[in-house]
Amino acid sequence: MTSASPLRRLIGTWSFEASSEGKFLGRGRTTFEWIEGGAFVRQRAEDEPSPDASPDWVSHSPMPVTALLGFDDSNGEMAMLYSDARGVFRIYRMSVTAEAWTVTRDNPGFSQRFVGRFQDDDATIRGRWESSEDGTTWVPDFDMEYRKRN
């Protein structure tokens, strides 16, 4: 089952860096691993403290983060159940295609989306988180770059 799952592209340990308008915000590490015999993927993410991290990033960090990812094998629909250290719990819709990993949340007053493009033979994902108050006008939150470590 795991070899046929579109989630297999995410499996492994990745380092990440966040930035906004070209300014470094912070970095960390995330791991995607199969659980329950390959039925789901668990993502765990943590900050890697850095003296040059933005104080705003440090004070608002959601880390550590845990998410469970899964897909419907009959129609390919994907979902992410998200939780973080701030006590935030969310459900996101996802897709993983040959080109991109997309995560979206449609919620009146605070919608979010992430689109990350696979590059370097899937060793890099470059993307951006955006938010919208009305679901129509999107503003950048921060850029994320993931680099596969193993």
Side-chain angles (χ1 to χ4, degrees):
M1 177 203 268
T2 57
S3 64
S5 171
L7 299 172
R8 72 186 176 285
R9 296 180 76 194
L10 300 173
I11 299 300
T13 300
W14 302 73
S15 58
F16 65 81
E17 288 193 359
S19 62
S20 179
E21 298 177 358
K23 293 166 131 182
F24 172 76
L25 296 175
R27 68 177 45 97
R29 184 178 90 160
T30 191
T31 300
F32 295 87
E33 62 185 340
W34 296 113
I35 61 170
E36 300 300 320
F40 301 100
V41 171
R42 177 176 46 219
Q43 177 190 14
R44 290 189 176 161
E46 296 183 6
D47 286 305
E48 291 179 356
S50 173
D52 53 345
S54 160
D56 190 52
W57 174 266
V58 172
S59 66
H60 292 97
S61 173
M63 303 297 172
V65 167
T66 301
L68 296 178
L69 291 63
F71 76 104
D72 184 323
D73 67 352
S74 68
N75 65 15
E77 185 177 343
M78 296 181 207
M80 171 192 284
L81 301 175
Y82 169 97
S83 69
D84 68 32
R86 303 169 300 178
V88 171
F89 302 94
R90 297 199 173 132
I91 299 174
Y92 292 90
R93 296 286 176 221
M94 284 185 25
S95 68
V96 177
T97 66
E99 295 82 29
W101 173 30
T102 303
V103 181
T104 59
R105 177 175 175 263
D106 295 320
N107 188 60
F110 187 63
S111 294
Q112 294 173 286
R113 68 182 178 194
F114 170 79
V115 178
R117 305 267 177 223
F118 290 101
Q119 299 175 348
D120 306 323
D121 293 324
D122 292 351
T124 304
I125 303 170
R126 286 190 181 95
R128 170 180 287 169
W129 277 98
E130 298 176 321
S131 61
S132 175
E133 293 181 4
D134 62 10
T136 304
T137 305
W138 293 89
V139 296
D141 284 336
F142 55 91
D143 296 322
M144 290 286 289
E145 181 171 303
Y146 294 88
R147 293 197 178 272
K148 198 162 201 175
R149 295 166 75 169
N150 66 24

